[in-house]
Amino acid sequence: MSQLSSLAVPEDFPDAPDAVEHIIVPRTSDIGGFEVRRALPSKERRMVGPFVFLDQMGPDVLVAGHGMDVRPHPHIGLATLTYLFDGEIWHRDSLGYEMPIRPGALNLMTAGRGIVHSERSGVETRPVDHRVFGLQSWIALPKAREEDEPGFIHHPMSDLPTLNAEGKKVRVVLGSAYGESSPVVTPSETIYVDIQMDAGSVLPVPADWEERALHVSEGSIDVGGQRVDAGTLAVLKPGDAVTVRARSHTRVMIVGGEPLDGPRHLWWNFVSSSKDRLEQAKADWKAGKFPVVPGDTEEFIPLPE
């Protein structure tokens, strides 16, 4: 890889004028009384690198007395990545982890052969108006890792390398970019970078990663000759370096990495290279064979009919 070691645009940096392969406008979906915008999977693109699912949560204000209540539900064959820009969500899982998810921190839950978790507003935030804004992604596991033991890791914001220069702030959440590397070990080569840009600032995005997309979470950018607005995912062509220009104060995520080792089947909260494995997961959840979430055992999300 040619990893740029600076946030400045080199004089000889290539900037492909037609580098955008797809512009994906997300559809809306409800998760526990909270509306999200889902960019992956879509009809234009099922996955980018190992990412098979990408939701933007908010920005939204949950009024006092109400909150997010994503009841206990199962996963297999994937790792979930919850990354907040604003607000707080309480994560609980069947391994016994109970953790507040806060802005800038990394929370990576590996489902492997099976895990159950819930995501709710906390007891301190629920009585007051509270804002929630962030992304939730699923990373499909390599075939050889699909049945791994489940696990959970948390890294506070201070663990993740951050660069500040020329009106840009870049935090490397997963992978390596701009001369910095995240301490997080991932099952396959993955890139996930949080970028904040002042209006008018310019950032090079090299062609270092085989598959890449830019998720505009706030604001608006120009890239590859196209305007991309908030909530939209721009999938870049392989091999094309591009320059991102912020039209306003903007927040962009670079998402991607190594392509998966074959197609994946997605059904509800399950991901697998095997359709038979999905059927087994359905039967196991319906029969109550998944583990429970300590401290959150009173309700669950039933298997969709």
Coordinates of all heavy atoms in Angstrom, one line a residue, residues 62-156:
L62 N -34.6 11.9 20.9 CA -35.6 11.1 21.6 C -36.1 11.8 22.8 O -35.3 12.2 23.7 CB -34.9 9.7 22.0 CG -34.3 8.9 20.9 CD1 -33.7 7.6 21.4 CD2 -35.3 8.6 19.8
V63 N -37.4 12.1 22.8 CA -38.0 12.9 23.8 C -38.0 12.2 25.2 O -37.9 11.0 25.3 CB -39.4 13.4 23.5 CG1 -39.4 14.2 22.2 CG2 -40.3 12.2 23.3
A64 N -38.0 13.0 26.2 CA -38.0 12.5 27.6 C -39.1 11.5 27.8 O -40.2 11.6 27.4 CB -38.2 13.7 28.6
G65 N -38.7 10.4 28.5 CA -39.6 9.3 28.8 C -39.6 8.3 27.7 O -40.3 7.2 27.9
H66 N -39.0 8.5 26.6 CA -38.9 7.6 25.5 C -37.4 7.3 25.2 O -36.5 8.0 25.7 CB -39.6 8.1 24.3 CG -41.0 8.3 24.4 ND1 -42.0 7.4 24.2 CD2 -41.7 9.4 24.9 CE1 -43.2 7.9 24.5 NE2 -43.0 9.1 24.9
G67 N -37.2 6.3 24.4 CA -35.8 5.9 24.1 C -35.7 4.9 23.1 O -36.7 4.4 22.6
M68 N -34.5 4.5 22.8 CA -34.2 3.4 21.9 C -34.4 2.1 22.6 O -33.9 1.9 23.7 CB -32.8 3.5 21.3 CG -32.5 2.3 20.4 SD -30.8 2.3 19.8 CE -30.7 3.7 18.8
D69 N -35.1 1.2 22.1 CA -35.3 -0.1 22.7 C -35.3 -1.2 21.7 O -36.3 -1.7 21.2 CB -36.7 -0.2 23.5 CG -36.6 0.5 24.8 OD1 -35.8 0.1 25.7 OD2 -37.4 1.5 25.0
V70 N -34.0 -1.6 21.3 CA -33.8 -2.7 20.5 C -33.7 -4.0 21.4 O -32.7 -4.2 22.0 CB -32.6 -2.6 19.6 CG1 -32.4 -3.8 18.7 CG2 -32.6 -1.3 18.8
R71 N -34.8 -4.7 21.4 CA -34.9 -5.9 22.4 C -33.8 -7.0 22.0 O -33.3 -7.0 20.9 CB -36.3 -6.5 22.3 CG -37.4 -5.5 22.9 CD -38.7 -6.0 22.5 NE -39.0 -5.9 21.0 CZ -39.9 -6.6 20.4 NH1 -40.7 -7.4 21.0 NH2 -40.1 -6.4 19.1
P72 N -33.5 -7.9 22.9 CA -32.6 -8.9 22.6 C -32.9 -9.7 21.3 O -34.1 -10.0 21.1 CB -32.7 -9.9 23.9 CG -33.1 -9.0 25.0 CD -34.0 -7.9 24.3
H73 N -31.9 -9.9 20.5 CA -32.0 -10.5 19.2 C -30.7 -11.2 18.9 O -29.6 -10.8 19.4 CB -32.4 -9.5 18.1 CG -31.4 -8.4 18.0 ND1 -31.4 -7.3 18.8 CD2 -30.4 -8.2 17.1 CE1 -30.4 -6.5 18.5 NE2 -29.8 -7.0 17.4
P74 N -30.7 -12.2 18.0 CA -29.5 -13.0 17.8 C -28.7 -12.6 16.5 O -29.3 -11.9 15.6 CB -30.1 -14.4 17.6 CG -31.4 -14.1 16.8 CD -31.9 -12.8 17.4
H75 N -27.5 -13.0 16.5 CA -26.7 -12.9 15.3 C -25.8 -14.1 15.1 O -25.4 -14.7 16.1 CB -25.7 -11.7 15.4 CG -26.4 -10.3 15.3 ND1 -27.0 -9.8 14.2 CD2 -26.6 -9.4 16.3 CE1 -27.5 -8.6 14.5 NE2 -27.2 -8.3 15.7
I76 N -25.5 -14.4 13.8 CA -24.4 -15.4 13.6 C -23.6 -14.9 12.4 O -24.1 -14.1 11.6 CB -25.0 -16.8 13.2 CG1 -25.8 -16.7 11.9 CG2 -25.8 -17.4 14.3 CD1 -26.0 -18.1 11.2
G77 N -22.3 -15.3 12.3 CA -21.5 -15.2 11.1 C -21.0 -13.8 10.8 O -20.6 -13.5 9.7
L78 N -21.1 -12.9 11.7 CA -20.7 -11.5 11.5 C -20.1 -10.8 12.7 O -20.1 -11.4 13.8 CB -22.0 -10.7 11.0 CG -23.2 -10.7 12.0 CD1 -23.1 -9.6 13.0 CD2 -24.5 -10.5 11.2
A79 N -19.6 -9.6 12.5 CA -19.2 -8.8 13.6 C -20.0 -7.5 13.5 O -20.1 -6.9 12.4 CB -17.7 -8.5 13.7
T80 N -20.6 -7.0 14.6 CA -21.3 -5.7 14.6 C -20.3 -4.6 15.1 O -19.6 -4.8 16.0 CB -22.5 -5.7 15.4 OG1 -22.2 -5.8 16.8 CG2 -23.4 -6.9 15.1
L81 N -20.4 -3.5 14.4 CA -19.6 -2.3 14.7 C -20.5 -1.1 15.0 O -21.2 -0.7 14.1 CB -18.6 -2.0 13.6 CG -17.5 -1.0 13.9 CD1 -16.4 -1.2 12.8 CD2 -17.9 0.4 14.0
T82 N -20.6 -0.7 16.2 CA -21.5 0.5 16.6 C -20.6 1.6 16.9 O -19.7 1.6 17.7 CB -22.4 0.2 17.8 OG1 -23.2 -1.0 17.5 CG2 -23.3 1.3 18.1
Y83 N -20.8 2.7 16.1 CA -19.9 3.9 16.3 C -20.8 5.2 16.3 O -21.5 5.5 15.4 CB -19.0 4.0 15.1 CG -17.9 5.1 15.2 CD1 -16.8 4.9 16.0 CD2 -18.0 6.3 14.5 CE1 -15.8 5.9 16.1 CE2 -17.1 7.3 14.6 CZ -16.0 7.1 15.4 OH -15.0 8.0 15.5
L84 N -20.7 5.9 17.4 CA -21.6 7.0 17.7 C -20.8 8.3 17.4 O -19.7 8.5 17.8 CB -22.1 7.0 19.1 CG -23.1 5.9 19.5 CD1 -23.6 6.1 20.9 CD2 -24.3 5.9 18.5
F85 N -21.5 9.3 16.8 CA -21.1 10.7 16.8 C -21.6 11.5 17.9 O -21.0 12.5 18.4 CB -21.6 11.3 15.5 CG -21.2 10.5 14.2 CD1 -22.1 10.4 13.2 CD2 -19.9 10.0 14.1 CE1 -21.8 9.7 12.1 CE2 -19.6 9.3 12.9 CZ -20.5 9.1 11.9
D86 N -22.8 11.1 18.4 CA -23.5 11.8 19.5 C -24.4 10.9 20.2 O -25.0 10.0 19.6 CB -24.3 13.0 18.9 CG -24.6 14.1 19.9 OD1 -24.1 14.0 21.1 OD2 -25.3 15.1 19.6
G87 N -24.6 11.1 21.5 CA -25.5 10.3 22.3 C -24.9 9.2 23.1 O -23.6 9.1 23.2
E88 N -25.7 8.3 23.5 CA -25.2 7.1 24.3 C -26.3 6.0 24.1 O -27.5 6.2 24.1 CB -25.1 7.5 25.8 CG -24.7 6.3 26.6 CD -24.6 6.7 28.1 OE1 -23.6 7.3 28.5 OE2 -25.6 6.4 28.8
I89 N -25.7 4.8 23.9 CA -26.6 3.6 23.9 C -26.0 2.5 24.8 O -24.7 2.3 24.8 CB -26.6 3.0 22.4 CG1 -27.2 4.0 21.5 CG2 -27.4 1.7 22.3 CD1 -27.1 3.6 20.0
W90 N -26.8 1.8 25.5 CA -26.3 0.7 26.4 C -26.4 -0.6 25.6 O -27.4 -1.0 25.2 CB -27.1 0.6 27.7 CG -26.6 1.6 28.7 CD1 -26.9 2.9 28.9 CD2 -25.6 1.3 29.7 NE1 -26.1 3.4 29.9 CE2 -25.3 2.5 30.4 CE3 -24.9 0.1 30.0 CZ2 -24.4 2.5 31.4 CZ3 -23.9 0.2 31.1 CH2 -23.7 1.4 31.7
H91 N -25.2 -1.2 25.5 CA -25.0 -2.6 24.9 C -25.0 -3.6 26.0 O -24.3 -3.5 27.0 CB -23.7 -2.6 24.2 CG -23.3 -4.0 23.8 ND1 -23.6 -4.6 22.6 CD2 -22.6 -4.9 24.6 CE1 -23.0 -5.8 22.7 NE2 -22.4 -6.0 23.8
R92 N -25.8 -4.6 25.8 CA -25.8 -5.8 26.7 C -25.8 -7.1 25.8 O -26.5 -7.1 24.8 CB -27.0 -5.9 27.7 CG -27.0 -4.8 28.7 CD -28.3 -4.9 29.6 NE -28.3 -3.9 30.7 CZ -28.8 -2.7 30.5 NH1 -29.4 -2.4 29.3 NH2 -28.8 -1.8 31.5
D93 N -25.0 -8.1 26.2 CA -25.0 -9.3 25.3 C -24.9 -10.6 26.2 O -24.8 -10.5 27.4 CB -23.8 -9.2 24.3 CG -22.4 -9.2 25.0 OD1 -22.3 -10.0 26.0 OD2 -21.5 -8.5 24.6
S94 N -25.1 -11.7 25.5 CA -25.2 -13.0 26.2 C -23.9 -13.5 26.7 O -23.9 -14.5 27.5 CB -25.8 -14.0 25.2 OG -25.1 -14.1 24.0
L95 N -22.8 -12.8 26.5 CA -21.5 -13.1 27.1 C -21.4 -12.4 28.5 O -20.5 -12.7 29.2 CB -20.3 -12.6 26.2 CG -20.2 -13.3 24.8 CD1 -19.1 -12.7 24.1 CD2 -20.0 -14.8 25.0
G96 N -22.4 -11.5 28.8 CA -22.4 -10.8 30.1 C -21.8 -9.4 30.0 O -21.7 -8.7 31.0
Y97 N -21.4 -9.0 28.8 CA -20.9 -7.6 28.7 C -22.0 -6.6 28.8 O -23.1 -6.8 28.2 CB -20.1 -7.4 27.4 CG -18.8 -8.1 27.3 CD1 -18.7 -9.3 26.7 CD2 -17.7 -7.5 27.9 CE1 -17.4 -10.0 26.6 CE2 -16.4 -8.2 27.9 CZ -16.3 -9.4 27.2 OH -15.1 -10.1 27.2
E98 N -21.8 -5.6 29.6 CA -22.7 -4.4 29.7 C -21.9 -3.2 29.6 O -21.0 -2.9 30.4 CB -23.5 -4.5 31.0 CG -24.5 -3.4 31.2 CD -25.3 -3.6 32.5 OE1 -25.4 -4.7 33.0 OE2 -25.9 -2.6 32.9
M99 N -22.1 -2.4 28.5 CA -21.2 -1.3 28.2 C -21.9 -0.1 27.6 O -22.7 -0.3 26.6 CB -20.2 -1.8 27.2 CG -19.2 -0.8 26.7 SD -17.9 -0.4 27.9 CE -17.1 -2.0 28.1
P100 N -21.7 1.1 28.1 CA -22.3 2.3 27.4 C -21.5 2.5 26.1 O -20.2 2.5 26.2 CB -22.1 3.4 28.4 CG -21.0 3.0 29.3 CD -21.0 1.5 29.3
I101 N -22.1 2.7 25.0 CA -21.5 3.1 23.8 C -21.5 4.6 23.7 O -22.6 5.2 23.7 CB -22.2 2.4 22.6 CG1 -22.2 0.9 22.7 CG2 -21.5 2.9 21.3 CD1 -23.0 0.2 21.7
R102 N -20.4 5.2 23.6 CA -20.3 6.7 23.6 C -19.5 7.2 22.4 O -18.8 6.4 21.7 CB -19.6 7.2 24.9 CG -20.5 6.8 26.1 CD -19.9 7.4 27.4 NE -20.8 7.2 28.5 CZ -20.4 6.6 29.7 NH1 -19.2 6.2 29.8 NH2 -21.3 6.5 30.6
P103 N -19.7 8.5 22.0 CA -19.1 9.0 20.8 C -17.6 8.8 20.7 O -16.8 9.0 21.7 CB -19.4 10.5 20.9 CG -20.7 10.5 21.7 CD -20.5 9.5 22.7
G104 N -17.2 8.3 19.5 CA -15.7 8.2 19.2 C -15.1 6.9 19.7 O -14.0 6.6 19.4
A105 N -15.9 6.1 20.5 CA -15.3 4.8 21.0 C -15.7 3.7 20.0 O -16.7 3.8 19.2 CB -15.9 4.5 22.3
L106 N -14.9 2.6 20.0 CA -15.2 1.5 19.2 C -15.8 0.3 20.0 O -15.3 0.0 21.1 CB -13.9 1.0 18.5 CG -14.0 -0.4 17.8 CD1 -14.7 -0.3 16.5 CD2 -12.7 -1.1 17.7
N107 N -16.9 -0.2 19.5 CA -17.5 -1.4 20.1 C -17.7 -2.4 19.0 O -18.5 -2.3 18.1 CB -18.8 -1.0 20.8 CG -18.7 -0.1 21.9 OD1 -18.5 -0.4 23.0 ND2 -18.7 1.2 21.6
L108 N -16.9 -3.5 19.1 CA -16.9 -4.5 18.1 C -17.4 -5.9 18.7 O -16.7 -6.4 19.5 CB -15.6 -4.7 17.4 CG -15.5 -5.6 16.2 CD1 -16.2 -5.0 15.0 CD2 -14.0 -5.8 15.8
M109 N -18.5 -6.3 18.3 CA -19.1 -7.6 18.8 C -19.0 -8.7 17.8 O -19.6 -8.5 16.7 CB -20.5 -7.4 19.3 CG -21.1 -8.6 20.0 SD -22.9 -8.4 20.3 CE -23.6 -8.6 18.7
T110 N -18.3 -9.7 18.0 CA -18.2 -10.8 17.1 C -19.2 -11.9 17.4 O -19.2 -12.5 18.5 CB -16.8 -11.4 17.1 OG1 -15.8 -10.4 16.7 CG2 -16.7 -12.6 16.1
A111 N -20.1 -12.2 16.5 CA -21.2 -13.1 16.7 C -20.7 -14.6 16.5 O -21.0 -15.5 17.3 CB -22.4 -12.9 15.8
G112 N -19.9 -14.8 15.5 CA -19.4 -16.2 15.3 C -20.5 -17.2 15.2 O -21.5 -17.0 14.4
R113 N -20.5 -18.2 16.0 CA -21.5 -19.3 15.9 C -22.8 -18.8 16.6 O -23.8 -19.5 16.4 CB -21.0 -20.5 16.6 CG -20.6 -20.3 18.1 CD -20.1 -21.6 18.7 NE -19.6 -21.4 20.0 CZ -20.4 -21.3 21.1 NH1 -21.7 -21.4 21.0 NH2 -19.8 -21.2 22.3
G114 N -22.8 -17.7 17.3 CA -24.1 -17.2 17.8 C -23.9 -16.4 19.1 O -23.2 -16.7 20.0
I115 N -24.6 -15.2 19.1 CA -24.6 -14.3 20.2 C -26.0 -13.6 20.2 O -26.7 -13.5 19.2 CB -23.5 -13.3 20.1 CG1 -23.2 -12.7 21.5 CG2 -23.7 -12.2 19.1 CD1 -21.9 -11.9 21.6
V116 N -26.4 -13.1 21.4 CA -27.6 -12.3 21.5 C -27.2 -11.0 22.2 O -26.4 -11.0 23.1 CB -28.7 -13.1 22.3 CG1 -29.9 -12.3 22.5 CG2 -29.0 -14.5 21.7
H117 N -27.8 -9.9 21.7 CA -27.6 -8.6 22.4 C -28.8 -7.7 22.3 O -29.7 -8.0 21.5 CB -26.3 -8.0 21.8 CG -26.5 -7.3 20.5 ND1 -26.0 -6.1 20.2 CD2 -27.1 -7.8 19.4 CE1 -26.3 -5.8 18.9 NE2 -27.0 -6.8 18.4
S118 N -28.8 -6.7 23.1 CA -29.8 -5.7 23.1 C -29.1 -4.3 23.1 O -28.0 -4.2 23.5 CB -30.8 -5.8 24.3 OG -30.1 -5.5 25.5
E119 N -29.8 -3.3 22.6 CA -29.3 -1.9 22.6 C -30.5 -1.0 23.0 O -31.5 -1.0 22.3 CB -28.9 -1.6 21.1 CG -27.7 -2.4 20.7 CD -27.6 -2.4 19.2 OE1 -28.5 -2.9 18.5 OE2 -26.6 -1.9 18.7
R120 N -30.2 -0.3 24.1 CA -31.3 0.5 24.7 C -30.7 1.9 25.1 O -29.5 2.0 25.4 CB -31.9 -0.2 25.9 CG -32.6 -1.5 25.5 CD -33.2 -2.1 26.8 NE -33.8 -3.5 26.6 CZ -35.1 -3.7 26.2 NH1 -35.9 -2.7 26.0 NH2 -35.5 -5.0 26.1
S121 N -31.6 2.8 25.3 CA -31.2 4.1 25.9 C -31.0 3.8 27.4 O -31.7 2.9 28.0 CB -32.4 5.1 25.8 OG -32.5 5.5 24.4
G122 N -30.1 4.5 28.0 CA -29.7 4.2 29.4 C -30.7 4.9 30.4 O -31.5 5.7 30.0
V123 N -30.6 4.4 31.6 CA -31.5 4.9 32.7 C -31.3 6.4 33.0 O -32.2 7.1 33.4 CB -31.3 4.1 34.0 CG1 -31.8 2.7 33.8 CG2 -29.9 4.1 34.5
E124 N -30.1 6.9 32.7 CA -29.8 8.3 32.9 C -30.3 9.2 31.8 O -30.7 10.4 32.0 CB -28.4 8.6 33.2 CG -27.8 7.9 34.5 CD -26.4 8.2 34.7 OE1 -25.8 8.9 33.9 OE2 -25.9 7.8 35.8
T125 N -30.3 8.7 30.6 CA -30.7 9.6 29.4 C -32.2 9.5 29.2 O -32.7 10.4 28.6 CB -29.9 9.1 28.2 OG1 -30.1 7.7 27.9 CG2 -28.4 9.4 28.3
R126 N -32.8 8.4 29.5 CA -34.2 8.2 29.1 C -35.1 9.2 29.7 O -36.1 9.6 29.1 CB -34.6 6.8 29.6 CG -36.0 6.3 29.0 CD -36.3 4.9 29.4 NE -35.4 3.9 28.8 CZ -35.6 3.3 27.7 NH1 -36.7 3.5 27.0 NH2 -34.7 2.4 27.3
P127 N -34.9 9.7 31.0 CA -35.8 10.7 31.5 C -35.7 12.1 30.9 O -36.6 13.0 31.2 CB -35.4 10.8 33.0 CG -34.7 9.5 33.3 CD -34.0 9.3 32.0
V128 N -34.7 12.3 30.0 CA -34.6 13.7 29.5 C -34.5 13.5 27.9 O -34.3 12.5 27.4 CB -33.3 14.3 30.0 CG1 -33.3 14.5 31.5 CG2 -32.0 13.5 29.6
D129 N -34.7 14.7 27.2 CA -34.5 14.7 25.8 C -33.0 14.3 25.5 O -32.1 14.9 26.2 CB -34.8 16.0 25.2 CG -36.3 16.4 25.3 OD1 -37.1 15.6 25.7 OD2 -36.6 17.6 24.9
H130 N -32.8 13.4 24.6 CA -31.4 13.0 24.3 C -31.3 12.7 22.8 O -32.1 12.1 22.2 CB -31.0 11.8 25.1 CG -31.8 10.6 25.1 ND1 -33.1 10.5 25.7 CD2 -31.6 9.4 24.5 CE1 -33.6 9.4 25.4 NE2 -32.8 8.7 24.7
R131 N -30.1 13.2 22.3 CA -29.8 13.1 20.8 C -29.0 11.8 20.6 O -28.2 11.5 21.4 CB -29.0 14.3 20.4 CG -28.9 14.4 18.9 CD -28.2 15.8 18.6 NE -28.2 16.1 17.1 CZ -27.1 15.9 16.4 NH1 -26.0 15.5 16.9 NH2 -27.1 16.2 15.1
V132 N -29.4 11.1 19.5 CA -28.6 9.9 19.1 C -28.2 10.1 17.6 O -29.1 10.4 16.8 CB -29.4 8.6 19.3 CG1 -28.6 7.4 18.8 CG2 -29.7 8.4 20.8
F133 N -27.0 9.9 17.3 CA -26.5 10.0 16.0 C -25.3 9.1 15.8 O -24.3 9.2 16.6 CB -26.1 11.5 15.7 CG -25.7 11.8 14.3 CD1 -26.1 11.0 13.2 CD2 -24.8 12.9 14.1 CE1 -25.7 11.3 11.9 CE2 -24.4 13.2 12.8 CZ -24.8 12.4 11.7
G134 N -25.3 8.2 14.8 CA -24.1 7.4 14.6 C -24.4 6.3 13.5 O -25.4 6.4 12.8
L135 N -23.5 5.4 13.4 CA -23.6 4.3 12.4 C -23.5 3.0 13.0 O -22.8 2.8 14.0 CB -22.4 4.5 11.4 CG -22.3 5.7 10.5 CD1 -21.1 5.7 9.6 CD2 -23.6 5.9 9.7
Q136 N -24.2 2.0 12.5 CA -24.1 0.6 12.8 C -23.8 -0.2 11.6 O -24.5 -0.1 10.6 CB -25.2 0.1 13.6 CG -25.0 -1.3 14.1 CD -26.0 -1.8 15.1 OE1 -27.1 -2.1 14.8 NE2 -25.5 -2.0 16.4
S137 N -22.8 -1.0 11.6 CA -22.3 -1.8 10.5 C -22.2 -3.2 10.9 O -21.9 -3.6 12.0 CB -21.0 -1.3 10.0 OG -21.0 0.1 9.8
W138 N -22.3 -4.1 9.8 CA -22.0 -5.5 10.0 C -20.9 -5.9 9.1 O -20.9 -5.5 7.9 CB -23.2 -6.4 9.6 CG -24.4 -6.3 10.5 CD1 -24.6 -5.6 11.6 CD2 -25.7 -6.9 10.2 NE1 -25.8 -5.7 12.1 CE2 -26.5 -6.6 11.3 CE3 -26.2 -7.8 9.2 CZ2 -27.9 -7.0 11.4 CZ3 -27.5 -8.2 9.3 CH2 -28.3 -7.8 10.4
I139 N -19.9 -6.6 9.6 CA -18.8 -7.1 8.9 C -18.9 -8.6 8.8 O -18.9 -9.3 9.8 CB -17.4 -6.7 9.6 CG1 -17.3 -5.2 9.7 CG2 -16.3 -7.3 8.8 CD1 -16.2 -4.7 10.6
A140 N -19.1 -9.1 7.6 CA -19.2 -10.6 7.4 C -17.8 -11.2 7.7 O -16.8 -10.7 7.3 CB -19.6 -10.9 6.0
L141 N -17.9 -12.3 8.5 CA -16.6 -13.0 8.8 C -16.2 -13.9 7.6 O -17.0 -14.4 6.9 CB -16.9 -13.9 10.0 CG -17.3 -13.2 11.3 CD1 -17.6 -14.2 12.4 CD2 -16.3 -12.2 11.7
P142 N -14.9 -14.1 7.5 CA -14.4 -15.1 6.5 C -15.0 -16.4 6.7 O -15.3 -16.8 7.9 CB -12.9 -15.1 6.7 CG -12.6 -13.8 7.4 CD -13.8 -13.5 8.3
K143 N -15.1 -17.2 5.7 CA -15.7 -18.6 5.9 C -15.1 -19.4 7.0 O -15.8 -20.0 7.7 CB -15.6 -19.3 4.5 CG -16.5 -18.8 3.4 CD -16.3 -19.6 2.2 CE -17.2 -19.1 1.0 NZ -17.0 -19.9 -0.2
A144 N -13.8 -19.3 7.1 CA -13.1 -20.1 8.1 C -13.4 -19.6 9.5 O -13.0 -20.3 10.5 CB -11.6 -20.1 7.8
R145 N -13.9 -18.4 9.7 CA -14.2 -17.8 11.0 C -15.7 -17.7 11.3 O -16.0 -17.2 12.4 CB -13.6 -16.4 11.0 CG -12.1 -16.3 10.7 CD -11.2 -16.8 11.8 NE -11.4 -16.1 13.0 CZ -10.8 -14.9 13.3 NH1 -10.0 -14.3 12.4 NH2 -11.0 -14.3 14.4
E146 N -16.5 -18.2 10.5 CA -18.0 -18.0 10.7 C -18.5 -18.6 12.0 O -19.4 -18.2 12.6 CB -18.8 -18.5 9.5 CG -18.7 -17.6 8.3 CD -19.5 -18.1 7.1 OE1 -19.5 -19.3 6.9 OE2 -20.2 -17.3 6.5
E147 N -17.8 -19.7 12.4 CA -18.3 -20.5 13.6 C -17.3 -20.2 14.7 O -17.3 -21.1 15.7 CB -18.4 -21.9 13.2 CG -19.5 -22.2 12.2 CD -20.9 -21.8 12.6 OE1 -21.2 -22.0 13.8 OE2 -21.6 -21.2 11.8
D148 N -16.6 -19.1 14.7 CA -15.7 -18.8 15.9 C -16.5 -18.6 17.1 O -17.7 -18.3 17.1 CB -14.9 -17.5 15.6 CG -13.7 -17.8 14.8 OD1 -13.5 -18.9 14.3 OD2 -12.9 -16.8 14.6
E149 N -15.8 -18.7 18.3 CA -16.5 -18.3 19.5 C -16.9 -16.8 19.5 O -16.1 -16.0 19.0 CB -15.5 -18.5 20.7 CG -15.2 -20.0 21.0 CD -16.5 -20.7 21.6 OE1 -17.1 -20.1 22.4 OE2 -16.7 -21.8 21.1
P150 N -18.0 -16.5 20.0 CA -18.4 -15.1 20.1 C -17.5 -14.3 21.0 O -16.8 -14.8 21.9 CB -19.8 -15.1 20.6 CG -20.0 -16.4 21.3 CD -19.1 -17.4 20.6
G151 N -17.4 -13.0 20.7 CA -16.6 -12.1 21.5 C -17.0 -10.7 21.5 O -17.8 -10.3 20.6
F152 N -16.4 -9.9 22.4 CA -16.7 -8.4 22.4 C -15.5 -7.7 22.8 O -14.8 -8.1 23.8 CB -17.9 -8.1 23.4 CG -18.2 -6.7 23.5 CD1 -19.1 -6.1 22.6 CD2 -17.7 -5.9 24.5 CE1 -19.4 -4.7 22.7 CE2 -18.0 -4.6 24.7 CZ -18.8 -4.0 23.7
I153 N -15.2 -6.6 22.1 CA -14.1 -5.7 22.5 C -14.5 -4.3 22.5 O -15.4 -3.9 21.7 CB -12.8 -5.9 21.6 CG1 -13.1 -5.6 20.1 CG2 -12.2 -7.3 21.7 CD1 -11.9 -5.5 19.2
H154 N -13.9 -3.5 23.4 CA -14.3 -2.1 23.5 C -12.9 -1.3 23.5 O -12.0 -1.7 24.2 CB -15.0 -1.8 24.7 CG -15.1 -0.3 25.1 ND1 -16.1 0.5 24.5 CD2 -14.4 0.5 25.9 CE1 -15.9 1.7 25.0 NE2 -14.9 1.7 25.8
H155 N -12.9 -0.3 22.7 CA -11.7 0.7 22.7 C -12.3 2.1 22.9 O -13.1 2.5 22.1 CB -10.9 0.6 21.4 CG -10.0 -0.6 21.3 ND1 -8.7 -0.6 21.8 CD2 -10.3 -1.8 20.8 CE1 -8.2 -1.8 21.6 NE2 -9.1 -2.6 21.0
P156 N -11.8 2.8 24.0 CA -12.3 4.2 24.1 C -11.7 5.0 23.0 O -10.7 4.6 22.3 CB -11.7 4.6 25.5 CG -10.5 3.7 25.7 CD -10.9 2.4 25.0

